[in-house]
mmCIF file of all heavy atoms in Angstrom:
data_model
loop_
_atom_site.group_PDB
_atom_site.id
_atom_site.type_symbol
_atom_site.label_atom_id
_atom_site.label_comp_id
_atom_site.label_asym_id
_atom_site.label_seq_id
_atom_site.Cartn_x
_atom_site.Cartn_y
_atom_site.Cartn_z
ATOM 1 N N LYS B 208 -13.426 2.832 -0.944
ATOM 2 C CA LYS B 208 -14.703 2.982 -0.266
ATOM 3 C C LYS B 208 -15.425 1.649 -0.079
ATOM 4 O O LYS B 208 -16.031 1.398 0.961
ATOM 5 C CB LYS B 208 -15.627 3.928 -1.047
ATOM 6 C CG LYS B 208 -15.226 5.369 -0.912
ATOM 7 C CD LYS B 208 -16.424 6.289 -0.794
ATOM 8 C CE LYS B 208 -17.111 6.144 0.538
ATOM 9 N NZ LYS B 208 -18.058 7.246 0.822
ATOM 10 N N LEU B 209 -15.355 0.794 -1.069
ATOM 11 C CA LEU B 209 -16.164 -0.423 -1.034
ATOM 12 C C LEU B 209 -15.464 -1.569 -0.319
ATOM 13 O O LEU B 209 -16.118 -2.411 0.289
ATOM 14 C CB LEU B 209 -16.512 -0.871 -2.456
ATOM 15 C CG LEU B 209 -17.265 0.162 -3.296
ATOM 16 C CD1 LEU B 209 -17.529 -0.377 -4.690
ATOM 17 C CD2 LEU B 209 -18.574 0.512 -2.606
ATOM 18 N N ASP B 210 -14.148 -1.615 -0.384
ATOM 19 C CA ASP B 210 -13.436 -2.773 0.131
ATOM 20 C C ASP B 210 -12.370 -2.298 1.102
ATOM 21 O O ASP B 210 -11.413 -1.660 0.705
ATOM 22 C CB ASP B 210 -12.800 -3.542 -1.039
ATOM 23 C CG ASP B 210 -12.231 -4.868 -0.599
ATOM 24 O OD1 ASP B 210 -11.222 -4.872 0.141
ATOM 25 O OD2 ASP B 210 -12.793 -5.895 -0.980
ATOM 26 N N GLY B 211 -12.570 -2.569 2.361
ATOM 27 C CA GLY B 211 -11.668 -2.081 3.386
ATOM 28 C C GLY B 211 -10.208 -2.420 3.152
ATOM 29 O O GLY B 211 -9.319 -1.678 3.539
ATOM 30 N N ARG B 212 -9.963 -3.545 2.482
ATOM 31 C CA ARG B 212 -8.575 -3.984 2.318
ATOM 32 C C ARG B 212 -7.760 -2.978 1.537
ATOM 33 O O ARG B 212 -8.171 -2.505 0.480
ATOM 34 C CB ARG B 212 -8.543 -5.340 1.618
ATOM 35 C CG ARG B 212 -8.896 -6.467 2.559
ATOM 36 C CD ARG B 212 -9.098 -7.735 1.785
ATOM 37 N NE ARG B 212 -10.347 -7.681 1.054
ATOM 38 C CZ ARG B 212 -11.222 -8.695 1.001
ATOM 39 N NH1 ARG B 212 -10.979 -9.811 1.643
ATOM 40 N NH2 ARG B 212 -12.322 -8.575 0.297
ATOM 41 N N ASP B 213 -6.615 -2.675 2.042
ATOM 42 C CA ASP B 213 -5.771 -1.646 1.456
ATOM 43 C C ASP B 213 -4.517 -2.291 0.880
ATOM 44 O O ASP B 213 -3.433 -2.134 1.403
ATOM 45 C CB ASP B 213 -5.394 -0.612 2.520
ATOM 46 C CG ASP B 213 -4.790 0.633 1.899
ATOM 47 O OD1 ASP B 213 -5.062 0.887 0.721
ATOM 48 O OD2 ASP B 213 -4.051 1.328 2.602
ATOM 49 N N LEU B 214 -4.702 -3.041 -0.206
ATOM 50 C CA LEU B 214 -3.568 -3.719 -0.814
ATOM 51 C C LEU B 214 -2.549 -2.718 -1.347
ATOM 52 O O LEU B 214 -2.903 -1.674 -1.880
ATOM 53 C CB LEU B 214 -4.036 -4.604 -1.972
ATOM 54 C CG LEU B 214 -4.716 -5.919 -1.622
ATOM 55 C CD1 LEU B 214 -5.036 -6.694 -2.892
ATOM 56 C CD2 LEU B 214 -3.839 -6.760 -0.726
ATOM 57 N N THR B 215 -1.292 -3.067 -1.162
ATOM 58 C CA THR B 215 -0.209 -2.300 -1.752
ATOM 59 C C THR B 215 -0.206 -2.496 -3.264
ATOM 60 O O THR B 215 -0.706 -3.498 -3.770
ATOM 61 C CB THR B 215 1.109 -2.805 -1.163
ATOM 62 O OG1 THR B 215 1.093 -2.562 0.226
ATOM 63 C CG2 THR B 215 2.290 -2.130 -1.789
ATOM 64 N N LEU B 216 0.356 -1.509 -3.952
ATOM 65 C CA LEU B 216 0.500 -1.641 -5.403
ATOM 66 C C LEU B 216 1.255 -2.914 -5.746
ATOM 67 O O LEU B 216 0.920 -3.627 -6.689
ATOM 68 C CB LEU B 216 1.239 -0.415 -5.941
ATOM 69 C CG LEU B 216 1.099 -0.136 -7.426
ATOM 70 C CD1 LEU B 216 -0.348 0.087 -7.812
ATOM 71 C CD2 LEU B 216 1.936 1.060 -7.817
ATOM 72 N N ARG B 217 2.269 -3.218 -4.945
ATOM 73 C CA ARG B 217 3.032 -4.444 -5.187
ATOM 74 C C ARG B 217 2.171 -5.677 -5.046
ATOM 75 O O ARG B 217 2.211 -6.603 -5.856
ATOM 76 C CB ARG B 217 4.173 -4.547 -4.173
ATOM 77 C CG ARG B 217 5.325 -3.619 -4.447
ATOM 78 C CD ARG B 217 6.387 -3.851 -3.402
ATOM 79 N NE ARG B 217 7.622 -3.164 -3.729
ATOM 80 C CZ ARG B 217 8.722 -3.256 -3.012
ATOM 81 N NH1 ARG B 217 8.724 -3.993 -1.915
ATOM 82 N NH2 ARG B 217 9.802 -2.627 -3.374
ATOM 83 N N GLN B 218 1.392 -5.712 -3.979
ATOM 84 C CA GLN B 218 0.544 -6.871 -3.760
ATOM 85 C C GLN B 218 -0.458 -7.020 -4.887
ATOM 86 O O GLN B 218 -0.721 -8.128 -5.362
ATOM 87 C CB GLN B 218 -0.180 -6.730 -2.418
ATOM 88 C CG GLN B 218 0.766 -6.755 -1.231
ATOM 89 C CD GLN B 218 0.077 -6.403 0.069
ATOM 90 O OE1 GLN B 218 -0.935 -5.704 0.084
ATOM 91 N NE2 GLN B 218 0.622 -6.883 1.181
ATOM 92 N N MET B 219 -1.020 -5.912 -5.317
ATOM 93 C CA MET B 219 -1.964 -5.953 -6.428
ATOM 94 C C MET B 219 -1.294 -6.500 -7.677
ATOM 95 O O MET B 219 -1.859 -7.356 -8.377
ATOM 96 C CB MET B 219 -2.493 -4.538 -6.679
ATOM 97 C CG MET B 219 -3.510 -4.439 -7.786
ATOM 98 S SD MET B 219 -5.018 -5.366 -7.434
ATOM 99 C CE MET B 219 -5.848 -4.239 -6.321
ATOM 100 N N ALA B 220 -0.078 -6.042 -7.939
ATOM 101 C CA ALA B 220 0.636 -6.508 -9.130
ATOM 102 C C ALA B 220 0.903 -8.008 -9.033
ATOM 103 O O ALA B 220 0.753 -8.754 -10.011
ATOM 104 C CB ALA B 220 1.949 -5.740 -9.296
ATOM 105 N N ILE B 221 1.275 -8.473 -7.840
ATOM 106 C CA ILE B 221 1.554 -9.895 -7.654
ATOM 107 C C ILE B 221 0.285 -10.717 -7.855
ATOM 108 O O ILE B 221 0.272 -11.733 -8.564
ATOM 109 C CB ILE B 221 2.132 -10.146 -6.245
ATOM 110 C CG1 ILE B 221 3.504 -9.487 -6.119
ATOM 111 C CG2 ILE B 221 2.225 -11.630 -5.941
ATOM 112 C CD1 ILE B 221 4.051 -9.484 -4.696
ATOM 113 N N LEU B 222 -0.800 -10.256 -7.237
ATOM 114 C CA LEU B 222 -2.059 -10.987 -7.340
ATOM 115 C C LEU B 222 -2.510 -11.096 -8.801
ATOM 116 O O LEU B 222 -2.903 -12.174 -9.274
ATOM 117 C CB LEU B 222 -3.126 -10.274 -6.515
ATOM 118 C CG LEU B 222 -4.436 -11.022 -6.300
ATOM 119 C CD1 LEU B 222 -4.207 -12.294 -5.516
ATOM 120 C CD2 LEU B 222 -5.441 -10.139 -5.568
ATOM 121 N N LEU B 223 -2.446 -9.991 -9.517
ATOM 122 C CA LEU B 223 -2.884 -10.007 -10.911
ATOM 123 C C LEU B 223 -1.955 -10.854 -11.761
ATOM 124 O O LEU B 223 -2.402 -11.547 -12.678
ATOM 125 C CB LEU B 223 -2.956 -8.574 -11.446
ATOM 126 C CG LEU B 223 -4.155 -7.787 -10.930
ATOM 127 C CD1 LEU B 223 -3.993 -6.304 -11.169
ATOM 128 C CD2 LEU B 223 -5.422 -8.286 -11.619
ATOM 129 N N GLU B 224 -0.672 -10.811 -11.445
ATOM 130 C CA GLU B 224 0.277 -11.644 -12.174
ATOM 131 C C GLU B 224 -0.093 -13.114 -12.019
ATOM 132 O O GLU B 224 -0.101 -13.883 -12.979
ATOM 133 C CB GLU B 224 1.689 -11.384 -11.638
ATOM 134 C CG GLU B 224 2.786 -12.161 -12.341
ATOM 135 C CD GLU B 224 3.122 -11.609 -13.716
ATOM 136 O OE1 GLU B 224 2.805 -10.428 -13.983
ATOM 137 O OE2 GLU B 224 3.692 -12.367 -14.528
ATOM 138 N N ILE B 225 -0.429 -13.505 -10.804
ATOM 139 C CA ILE B 225 -0.768 -14.906 -10.539
ATOM 140 C C ILE B 225 -2.031 -15.328 -11.285
ATOM 141 O O ILE B 225 -2.113 -16.432 -11.822
ATOM 142 C CB ILE B 225 -0.957 -15.126 -9.020
ATOM 143 C CG1 ILE B 225 0.378 -14.940 -8.296
ATOM 144 C CG2 ILE B 225 -1.529 -16.512 -8.735
ATOM 145 C CD1 ILE B 225 0.256 -14.915 -6.789
ATOM 146 N N TYR B 226 -2.984 -14.411 -11.345
ATOM 147 C CA TYR B 226 -4.277 -14.798 -11.918
ATOM 148 C C TYR B 226 -4.377 -14.580 -13.422
ATOM 149 O O TYR B 226 -5.216 -15.179 -14.074
ATOM 150 C CB TYR B 226 -5.418 -14.046 -11.219
ATOM 151 C CG TYR B 226 -5.838 -14.734 -9.939
ATOM 152 C CD1 TYR B 226 -5.153 -14.529 -8.756
ATOM 153 C CD2 TYR B 226 -6.896 -15.640 -9.927
ATOM 154 C CE1 TYR B 226 -5.516 -15.183 -7.590
ATOM 155 C CE2 TYR B 226 -7.267 -16.295 -8.760
ATOM 156 C CZ TYR B 226 -6.576 -16.055 -7.596
ATOM 157 O OH TYR B 226 -6.941 -16.717 -6.453
ATOM 158 N N LEU B 227 -3.539 -13.735 -13.970
ATOM 159 C CA LEU B 227 -3.682 -13.444 -15.397
ATOM 160 C C LEU B 227 -2.620 -14.105 -16.259
ATOM 161 O O LEU B 227 -2.779 -14.192 -17.473
ATOM 162 C CB LEU B 227 -3.647 -11.923 -15.629
ATOM 163 C CG LEU B 227 -4.800 -11.145 -15.009
ATOM 164 C CD1 LEU B 227 -4.738 -9.688 -15.400
ATOM 165 C CD2 LEU B 227 -6.134 -11.747 -15.433
ATOM 166 N N VAL B 228 -1.538 -14.537 -15.630
ATOM 167 C CA VAL B 228 -0.476 -15.167 -16.408
ATOM 168 C C VAL B 228 -0.537 -16.672 -16.162
ATOM 169 O O VAL B 228 -0.743 -17.099 -15.021
ATOM 170 C CB VAL B 228 0.897 -14.591 -16.005
ATOM 171 C CG1 VAL B 228 2.019 -15.346 -16.698
ATOM 172 C CG2 VAL B 228 0.957 -13.113 -16.341
ATOM 173 N N PRO B 229 -0.385 -17.487 -17.204
ATOM 174 C CA PRO B 229 -0.497 -18.945 -17.041
ATOM 175 C C PRO B 229 0.505 -19.475 -16.037
ATOM 176 O O PRO B 229 1.647 -19.029 -16.000
ATOM 177 C CB PRO B 229 -0.182 -19.482 -18.452
ATOM 178 C CG PRO B 229 -0.467 -18.357 -19.379
ATOM 179 C CD PRO B 229 -0.162 -17.109 -18.618
ATOM 180 N N PRO B 230 0.084 -20.431 -15.198
ATOM 181 C CA PRO B 230 0.968 -21.032 -14.210
ATOM 182 C C PRO B 230 2.023 -21.876 -14.911
ATOM 183 O O PRO B 230 1.944 -22.067 -16.115
ATOM 184 C CB PRO B 230 0.030 -21.892 -13.369
ATOM 185 C CG PRO B 230 -1.276 -21.954 -14.076
ATOM 186 C CD PRO B 230 -1.275 -20.965 -15.172
ATOM 187 N N PRO B 231 3.005 -22.389 -14.189
ATOM 188 C CA PRO B 231 3.154 -22.282 -12.744
ATOM 189 C C PRO B 231 3.830 -20.990 -12.307
ATOM 190 O O PRO B 231 4.575 -20.396 -13.059
ATOM 191 C CB PRO B 231 4.060 -23.477 -12.429
ATOM 192 C CG PRO B 231 4.896 -23.632 -13.648
ATOM 193 C CD PRO B 231 4.026 -23.232 -14.799
ATOM 194 N N HIS B 232 3.552 -20.571 -11.081
ATOM 195 C CA HIS B 232 4.199 -19.403 -10.496
ATOM 196 C C HIS B 232 5.009 -19.831 -9.280
ATOM 197 O O HIS B 232 4.531 -20.601 -8.455
ATOM 198 C CB HIS B 232 3.148 -18.374 -10.064
ATOM 199 C CG HIS B 232 2.331 -17.862 -11.204
ATOM 200 N ND1 HIS B 232 2.824 -16.996 -12.140
ATOM 201 C CD2 HIS B 232 1.054 -18.112 -11.577
ATOM 202 C CE1 HIS B 232 1.884 -16.726 -13.032
ATOM 203 N NE2 HIS B 232 0.795 -17.393 -12.717
ATOM 204 N N THR B 233 6.219 -19.313 -9.201
ATOM 205 C CA THR B 233 7.063 -19.589 -8.050
ATOM 206 C C THR B 233 7.493 -18.279 -7.411
ATOM 207 O O THR B 233 7.390 -17.212 -8.031
ATOM 208 C CB THR B 233 8.334 -20.354 -8.473
ATOM 209 O OG1 THR B 233 9.111 -19.513 -9.318
ATOM 210 C CG2 THR B 233 7.975 -21.626 -9.208
ATOM 211 N N VAL B 234 7.940 -18.369 -6.183
ATOM 212 C CA VAL B 234 8.427 -17.182 -5.486
ATOM 213 C C VAL B 234 9.554 -16.539 -6.285
ATOM 214 O O VAL B 234 9.538 -15.332 -6.562
ATOM 215 C CB VAL B 234 8.911 -17.562 -4.074
ATOM 216 C CG1 VAL B 234 9.562 -16.366 -3.407
ATOM 217 C CG2 VAL B 234 7.748 -18.073 -3.238
ATOM 218 N N ARG B 235 10.501 -17.377 -6.634
ATOM 219 C CA ARG B 235 11.645 -16.895 -7.407
ATOM 220 C C ARG B 235 11.227 -16.182 -8.693
ATOM 221 O O ARG B 235 11.704 -15.086 -9.001
ATOM 222 C CB ARG B 235 12.509 -18.124 -7.752
ATOM 223 C CG ARG B 235 13.746 -17.849 -8.563
ATOM 224 C CD ARG B 235 14.832 -17.328 -7.698
ATOM 225 N NE ARG B 235 16.077 -17.093 -8.413
ATOM 226 C CZ ARG B 235 17.078 -16.435 -7.896
ATOM 227 N NH1 ARG B 235 16.990 -15.965 -6.657
ATOM 228 N NH2 ARG B 235 18.186 -16.237 -8.555
ATOM 229 N N GLY B 236 10.321 -16.833 -9.427
ATOM 230 C CA GLY B 236 9.899 -16.274 -10.695
ATOM 231 C C GLY B 236 9.214 -14.933 -10.535
ATOM 232 O O GLY B 236 9.505 -13.973 -11.261
ATOM 233 N N LEU B 237 8.315 -14.853 -9.579
ATOM 234 C CA LEU B 237 7.606 -13.595 -9.362
ATOM 235 C C LEU B 237 8.566 -12.497 -8.939
ATOM 236 O O LEU B 237 8.450 -11.350 -9.384
ATOM 237 C CB LEU B 237 6.514 -13.784 -8.305
ATOM 238 C CG LEU B 237 5.323 -14.652 -8.720
ATOM 239 C CD1 LEU B 237 4.409 -14.911 -7.535
ATOM 240 C CD2 LEU B 237 4.554 -13.985 -9.849
ATOM 241 N N ALA B 238 9.503 -12.843 -8.074
ATOM 242 C CA ALA B 238 10.468 -11.843 -7.611
ATOM 243 C C ALA B 238 11.260 -11.286 -8.783
ATOM 244 O O ALA B 238 11.431 -10.069 -8.919
ATOM 245 C CB ALA B 238 11.396 -12.456 -6.561
ATOM 246 N N ALA B 239 11.726 -12.190 -9.634
ATOM 247 C CA ALA B 239 12.520 -11.757 -10.779
ATOM 248 C C ALA B 239 11.674 -10.892 -11.714
ATOM 249 O O ALA B 239 12.117 -9.837 -12.172
ATOM 250 C CB ALA B 239 13.071 -12.971 -11.513
ATOM 251 N N LYS B 240 10.460 -11.326 -11.973
ATOM 252 C CA LYS B 240 9.633 -10.623 -12.955
ATOM 253 C C LYS B 240 9.250 -9.228 -12.480
ATOM 254 O O LYS B 240 9.166 -8.287 -13.266
ATOM 255 C CB LYS B 240 8.373 -11.440 -13.239
ATOM 256 C CG LYS B 240 7.572 -10.885 -14.381
ATOM 257 C CD LYS B 240 6.835 -11.963 -15.144
ATOM 258 C CE LYS B 240 6.114 -11.363 -16.354
ATOM 259 N NZ LYS B 240 5.175 -12.319 -16.963
ATOM 260 N N LEU B 241 9.026 -9.097 -11.170
ATOM 261 C CA LEU B 241 8.614 -7.796 -10.644
ATOM 262 C C LEU B 241 9.803 -6.941 -10.213
ATOM 263 O O LEU B 241 9.629 -5.785 -9.847
ATOM 264 C CB LEU B 241 7.673 -7.992 -9.462
ATOM 265 C CG LEU B 241 6.247 -8.398 -9.826
ATOM 266 C CD1 LEU B 241 5.558 -9.033 -8.650
ATOM 267 C CD2 LEU B 241 5.475 -7.193 -10.303
ATOM 268 N N GLY B 242 10.993 -7.528 -10.212
ATOM 269 C CA GLY B 242 12.156 -6.746 -9.812
ATOM 270 C C GLY B 242 12.197 -6.436 -8.334
ATOM 271 O O GLY B 242 12.645 -5.365 -7.925
ATOM 272 N N VAL B 243 11.720 -7.373 -7.508
ATOM 273 C CA VAL B 243 11.778 -7.202 -6.061
ATOM 274 C C VAL B 243 12.487 -8.413 -5.449
ATOM 275 O O VAL B 243 12.771 -9.385 -6.135
ATOM 276 C CB VAL B 243 10.366 -7.060 -5.446
ATOM 277 C CG1 VAL B 243 9.655 -5.847 -6.002
ATOM 278 C CG2 VAL B 243 9.541 -8.311 -5.699
ATOM 279 N N THR B 244 12.751 -8.313 -4.132
ATOM 280 C CA THR B 244 13.465 -9.406 -3.491
ATOM 281 C C THR B 244 12.490 -10.528 -3.105
ATOM 282 O O THR B 244 11.287 -10.326 -3.020
ATOM 283 C CB THR B 244 14.172 -8.906 -2.222
ATOM 284 O OG1 THR B 244 13.192 -8.376 -1.333
ATOM 285 C CG2 THR B 244 15.189 -7.855 -2.568
ATOM 286 N N LYS B 245 13.044 -11.708 -2.838
ATOM 287 C CA LYS B 245 12.194 -12.857 -2.517
ATOM 288 C C LYS B 245 11.352 -12.647 -1.264
ATOM 289 O O LYS B 245 10.166 -13.005 -1.265
ATOM 290 C CB LYS B 245 13.055 -14.121 -2.381
ATOM 291 C CG LYS B 245 13.585 -14.655 -3.689
ATOM 292 C CD LYS B 245 14.306 -15.986 -3.500
ATOM 293 C CE LYS B 245 15.570 -15.814 -2.680
ATOM 294 N NZ LYS B 245 16.229 -17.111 -2.392
ATOM 295 N N PRO B 246 11.896 -12.106 -0.189
ATOM 296 C CA PRO B 246 11.052 -11.911 0.986
ATOM 297 C C PRO B 246 9.810 -11.061 0.711
ATOM 298 O O PRO B 246 8.785 -11.248 1.368
ATOM 299 C CB PRO B 246 11.978 -11.216 1.981
ATOM 300 C CG PRO B 246 13.319 -11.720 1.626
ATOM 301 C CD PRO B 246 13.307 -11.836 0.131
ATOM 302 N N VAL B 247 9.900 -10.152 -0.215
ATOM 303 C CA VAL B 247 8.724 -9.363 -0.569
ATOM 304 C C VAL B 247 7.615 -10.291 -1.063
ATOM 305 O O VAL B 247 6.440 -10.155 -0.677
ATOM 306 C CB VAL B 247 9.078 -8.319 -1.653
ATOM 307 C CG1 VAL B 247 7.824 -7.705 -2.241
ATOM 308 C CG2 VAL B 247 9.965 -7.242 -1.060
ATOM 309 N N ILE B 248 7.980 -11.224 -1.892
ATOM 310 C CA ILE B 248 6.982 -12.167 -2.421
ATOM 311 C C ILE B 248 6.463 -13.065 -1.300
ATOM 312 O O ILE B 248 5.253 -13.267 -1.154
ATOM 313 C CB ILE B 248 7.601 -13.024 -3.540
ATOM 314 C CG1 ILE B 248 8.200 -12.132 -4.635
ATOM 315 C CG2 ILE B 248 6.551 -13.973 -4.113
ATOM 316 C CD1 ILE B 248 7.184 -11.332 -5.385
ATOM 317 N N THR B 249 7.365 -13.603 -0.490
ATOM 318 C CA THR B 249 6.949 -14.466 0.613
ATOM 319 C C THR B 249 5.960 -13.733 1.515
ATOM 320 O O THR B 249 4.917 -14.277 1.879
ATOM 321 C CB THR B 249 8.172 -14.892 1.444
ATOM 322 O OG1 THR B 249 9.028 -15.700 0.629
ATOM 323 C CG2 THR B 249 7.751 -15.701 2.655
ATOM 324 N N ARG B 250 6.284 -12.508 1.868
ATOM 325 C CA ARG B 250 5.389 -11.742 2.737
ATOM 326 C C ARG B 250 4.049 -11.475 2.067
ATOM 327 O O ARG B 250 2.985 -11.615 2.690
ATOM 328 C CB ARG B 250 6.049 -10.415 3.110
ATOM 329 C CG ARG B 250 6.917 -10.485 4.330
ATOM 330 C CD ARG B 250 7.378 -9.106 4.731
ATOM 331 N NE ARG B 250 8.221 -8.506 3.697
ATOM 332 C CZ ARG B 250 9.537 -8.431 3.768
ATOM 333 N NH1 ARG B 250 10.173 -8.927 4.816
ATOM 334 N NH2 ARG B 250 10.235 -7.874 2.820
ATOM 335 N N ALA B 251 4.095 -11.092 0.808
ATOM 336 C CA ALA B 251 2.840 -10.819 0.102
ATOM 337 C C ALA B 251 1.985 -12.081 0.038
ATOM 338 O O ALA B 251 0.766 -12.029 0.224
ATOM 339 C CB ALA B 251 3.124 -10.290 -1.303
ATOM 340 N N LEU B 252 2.614 -13.220 -0.177
ATOM 341 C CA LEU B 252 1.859 -14.475 -0.229
ATOM 342 C C LEU B 252 1.307 -14.821 1.141
ATOM 343 O O LEU B 252 0.203 -15.362 1.250
ATOM 344 C CB LEU B 252 2.750 -15.610 -0.750
ATOM 345 C CG LEU B 252 3.199 -15.475 -2.210
ATOM 346 C CD1 LEU B 252 4.093 -16.633 -2.610
ATOM 347 C CD2 LEU B 252 1.994 -15.397 -3.143
ATOM 348 N N ASP B 253 2.074 -14.530 2.196
ATOM 349 C CA ASP B 253 1.546 -14.728 3.552
ATOM 350 C C ASP B 253 0.258 -13.927 3.732
ATOM 351 O O ASP B 253 -0.775 -14.463 4.123
ATOM 352 C CB ASP B 253 2.575 -14.277 4.604
ATOM 353 C CG ASP B 253 3.750 -15.240 4.707
ATOM 354 O OD1 ASP B 253 3.626 -16.384 4.227
ATOM 355 O OD2 ASP B 253 4.780 -14.851 5.273
ATOM 356 N N THR B 254 0.365 -12.636 3.440
ATOM 357 C CA THR B 254 -0.794 -11.758 3.624
ATOM 358 C C THR B 254 -1.976 -12.207 2.776
ATOM 359 O O THR B 254 -3.101 -12.368 3.275
ATOM 360 C CB THR B 254 -0.419 -10.320 3.235
ATOM 361 O OG1 THR B 254 0.691 -9.911 4.032
ATOM 362 C CG2 THR B 254 -1.577 -9.373 3.491
#
Side-chain angles (χ1 to χ4, degrees):
Chain B
K208 285 219 71 166
L209 302 179
D210 189 291
R212 283 170 287 225
D213 193 24
L214 284 183
T215 297
L216 199 60
R217 285 182 170 183
Q218 295 171 334
M219 181 63 79
I221 294 170
L222 191 63
L223 285 165
E224 182 75 20
I225 293 171
Y226 276 83
L227 296 185
V228 174
H232 298 287
T233 65
V234 174
R235 180 80 178 168
L237 291 173
K240 188 149 184 191
L241 284 160
V243 299
T244 59
K245 287 186 294 175
V247 168
I248 305 294
T249 295
R250 272 187 296 257
L252 294 179
D253 288 343
T254 302

